[in-house]
Amino acid sequence: MTSHPAVAAAPIVRDAFDPSHVDFDVFALFLEARRLHRSKTPKRVAKEAKVELDAVLRAARGRNPGSYEFFALCDWIGEEPATFLKKELRHA
């Protein structure tokens, strides 16, 4: 009998991004705080994160920047995507 490893429920994974699970307002606050702390323009953030400027501007307004862009900006911010789960989806 083969055993299968337990699969943890992870609402945010790169292959199954569900924007309804993300608190984009919190994401925007983190993005803008990091951007200002690092003295970067939105254009510079886009270049460093390798995303379009429009994605940075959408994210900064608390809107979904897109799946790839969300993960790229999480990397740029230096936070795990799970940091931005809506409160009711966070595990204790």
Side-chain angles (χ1 to χ4, degrees):
M1 178 182 250
T2 29
S3 63
H4 298 289
V7 177
I12 298 184
V13 292
R14 291 180 195 270
D15 295 334
F17 176 69
D18 185 346
S20 70
H21 291 170
V22 178
D23 187 332
F24 287 108
D25 290 329
V26 172
F27 184 62
L29 291 172
F30 270 74
L31 178 61
E32 284 299 281
R34 289 294 185 341
R35 183 182 72 76
L36 293 170
H37 178 74
R38 296 174 183 168
S39 300
K40 304 287 183 174
T41 64
K43 186 175 181 179
R44 187 69 195 168
V45 172
K47 184 174 182 169
E48 290 179 5
K50 297 179 175 70
V51 298
E52 295 293 322
L53 174 59
D54 188 55
V56 175
L57 297 176
R58 278 194 315 272
R61 290 191 307 265
R63 296 179 56 214
N64 180 1
S67 175
Y68 168 81
E69 293 81 357
F70 172 72
F71 290 106
L73 290 168
C74 283
D75 288 343
W76 186 86
I77 292 168
E79 294 289 339
E80 291 295 320
T83 302
F84 307 108
L85 281 174
K86 288 184 177 175
K87 186 178 178 180
E88 61 272 16
L89 297 172
R90 283 189 226 132
H91 296 280

